[in-house]
Amino acid sequence: MEPQLLHSVTDGVATVVIHHPAKRNAMTAGMWAALPPLLDALAADPAVRALVLTGEGGTFCAGADISTLRGSADEAQGLAVRAEDALAAFPKPTLAAVRGHCVGGGCQLAAACDLRFVDEGALFGITPAKLGIVYAASSTRRLVSLVGPATAKYLLFSGELIDAERALRTGLVDEVLPEGELGKRVAEFTRVLATRSQLTQAAAKEFADGRMDRDAYWAEQARGSGDTAEGVAAFLERRQPRFTWTASG
């Protein structure tokens, strides 16, 4: 099978699989370019309430497939940054499910997700210093927001790999699961996400990401959504709420 991004939607959860096992799921130029339109389509699908990004088999992503990026370094980095930005801007909750190596561009993609759940054997590294590449400013700022400046400098200056435990301690990841438990935990958690209010999630995502010009918009959405009334009624009636607000308003 050619290197590609596979996707499926089940029970409200879209799963995007980085599929290039011959090169440990390294991202080709075509795969970088394909991610933004794929995310646009999934964002517009009302059946999608959350998204999981993962890699084929026992590796998340070994970074960029350098053999497909022999042209301009700026052009290659531009493809990766556009893909990363599209993932960060996805309007519904996103979760990276990481096994094995999550390196370079792979770590860039994982950092662009809202959450990162990982197998205990996962390894993380950001390697531009090994290639003489200036890491993009937007990617650097996103990394610093997760792990702080000291750990960001450690990763960027050295290109060294860190294990899952250190990644958890520094804030790069959110949960570390024992071997064989990652898939079950991701499925359980995303089922929870799919039952929650999309209104709450969408507003919280914007606020947490630092957007400061939409307070009035979200207040208006909350007043007209019916989600608050439904949530309170469901709580009092001891039943699951049936939230109806969607990203289209």
Side-chain angles (χ1 to χ4, degrees), residues 175-192:
E175 291 191 15
V176 177
L177 284 305
E179 183 178 356
E181 295 295 316
L182 178 61
K184 178 182 177 182
R185 173 59 178 148
V186 168
E188 290 173 346
F189 188 75
T190 52
R191 278 197 296 270
V192 170

Side-chain angles (χ1 to χ4, degrees), residues 97-109:
V98 178
R99 298 177 182 85
H101 283 71
C102 178
V103 179
C107 202
Q108 197 171 340
L109 289 174

Side-chain angles (χ1 to χ4, degrees), residues 9 28-29 42 83 86 123 208 212 225 249:
V9 179
T28 65
L42 293 172
L123 293 169
M212 302 176 67
S225 71

Side-chain angles (χ1 to χ4, degrees), residues 16-51:
V16 175
V17 180
I18 303 168
H19 188 280
H20 191 186
K23 292 196 175 181
R24 295 194 301 173
N25 297 328
M27 294 282 288
T28 65
M31 292 165 76
W32 287 119
L35 187 57
L38 172 58
L39 293 172
D40 286 344
L42 293 172
D45 184 348
V48 173
R49 301 180 68 91
L51 182 141

Side-chain angles (χ1 to χ4, degrees), residues 8 24 42 49 56 70 79-80 99 105 114 147 153 157 159 163 165-166 170 178 181 197 204 228 245:
S8 60
R24 295 194 301 173
L42 293 172
R49 301 180 68 91
E56 181 68 28
R70 294 186 183 276
L79 285 172
R99 298 177 182 85
D114 297 314
V147 303
K153 289 173 183 177
F157 289 0
D163 62 17
E165 188 56 41
R166 182 167 182 175
T170 60
E181 295 295 316
S197 167
T228 301
W245 187 92

Side-chain angles (χ1 to χ4, degrees), residues 159-214:
E160 295 293 295
L161 302 185
I162 63 172
D163 62 17
E165 188 56 41
R166 182 167 182 175
L168 178 66
R169 190 168 66 248
T170 60
L172 183 59
V173 307
D174 300 286
E175 291 191 15
V176 177
L177 284 305
E179 183 178 356
E181 295 295 316
L182 178 61
K184 178 182 177 182
R185 173 59 178 148
V186 168
E188 290 173 346
F189 188 75
T190 52
R191 278 197 296 270
V192 170
L193 294 181
T195 69
R196 302 305 196 225
S197 167
Q198 290 189 67
L199 171 68
T200 301
Q201 292 170 342
K205 181 163 182 167
E206 284 199 358
F207 293 155
D209 288 345
R211 187 156 182 178
M212 302 176 67
D213 62 342
R214 297 256 283 180

Side-chain angles (χ1 to χ4, degrees), residues 65-105:
D65 184 348
I66 303 300
S67 68
T68 72
L69 302 174
R70 294 186 183 276
S72 164
D74 289 343
E75 181 180 350
Q77 187 176 78
L79 285 172
V81 169
R82 284 192 290 275
E84 176 191 1
D85 287 347
L87 185 56
F90 192 78
K92 302 165 187 181
T94 57
L95 187 152
V98 178
R99 298 177 182 85
H101 283 71
C102 178
V103 179

